[in-house]
Amino acid sequence: ELLILDEAWDVCLSTSEDVEQKIGLPYLGLVPQLTSVAPEAKNRWPFDYIVDNPLSAFGELVRSLKTSIVATRAGVRPKTVTVTSALPSEGKTTASICIARVSAQMGQKTVLLDCDVRRRNIIRAIGFEPSVGLLELLDGSATLDQVLVHEEGTGLYLLPLASTGFGPKDAFG
């Protein structure tokens, strides 16, 4: 009886078939940990490795995921992709930067928005500290041209969050 109860509570998604059957949505792909496909990349950020090694197996996996995202709606290219999860530290920031950089490297106009007002993880990960950003754009104290940052190496545009006293309640209230 305990085994039956255990299996009844098992809602793990282990395979692409699990995703499609249990959630009822198409499986887009999987991006493994960088070191599982590139052991030499130990202590490297996946989003930096992709820039330096665009033709690597890891780069190909991210391009494949990006292609799956674009191809999900027949004939209609999505204009917005949201990366989210239920828990912290599941790879949202890393996945977002990887997908955005690959998209820009493929010649597509791409803007990566950092919308996590409390953590500002995208900007921290990239190692950049802007003086103005998304919140200043929203409150009208800065223009889009002032806040957009262009990454020369990838062609990616970033719409960052600056470190200001402006809080989420102020921005979205």
Side-chain angles (χ1 to χ4, degrees):
E1 226 176 278
L2 182 59
L3 179 61
I4 294 171
L5 179 61
D6 184 49
E7 286 186 17
W9 284 99
D10 181 17
V11 292
C12 179
L13 302 174
S14 301
T15 67
S16 59
E17 291 79 18
D18 286 347
V19 171
E20 292 183 350
Q21 290 173 359
K22 292 179 182 179
I23 297 178
L25 295 172
Y27 176 78
L28 296 180
L30 167 76
V31 177
Q33 288 189 349
L34 175 59
T35 54
S36 71
V37 292
E40 75 280 2
K42 187 177 179 184
N43 300 324
R44 301 260 339 255
W45 286 107
F47 46 80
D48 289 335
Y49 183 83
I50 265 184
V51 173
D52 298 336
N53 302 279
L55 301 178
S56 65
F58 185 76
E60 181 57 35
L61 289 166
V62 175
R63 274 191 301 284
S64 176
L65 175 60
K66 189 251 174 230
T67 300
S68 293
I69 292 168
V70 171
T72 57
R73 293 170 53 197
V76 179
R77 293 183 82 105
K79 298 209 180 275
T80 304
V81 174
T82 302
V83 177
T84 188
S85 72
L87 300 171
S89 301
E90 290 187 326
K92 296 176 295 289
T93 299
T94 300
S96 297
I97 298 170
C98 286
I99 293 166
R101 282 184 168 172
V102 161
S103 180
Q105 286 174 323
M106 293 172 75
Q108 296 174 335
K109 288 185 181 179
T110 307
V111 179
L112 177 60
L113 281 76
D114 192 349
C115 296
D116 188 342
V117 178
R118 289 180 185 87
R119 292 184 184 93
R120 302 178 330 117
N121 285 335
I122 290 174
I123 297 309
R124 281 197 192 133
I126 292 174
F128 166 71
E129 190 56 59
S131 58
V132 292
L134 176 62
L135 296 178
E136 290 74 22
L137 177 66
L138 292 175
D139 79 1
S141 64
T143 66
L144 185 59
D145 287 338
Q146 291 173 316
V147 299
L148 269 182
V149 177
H150 186 249
E151 267 192 350
E152 295 297 326
T154 63
L156 174 64
Y157 287 91
L158 299 165
L159 207 166
L161 283 163
S163 178
T164 65
F166 203 69
K169 184 176 179 182
D170 301 322
F172 304 111

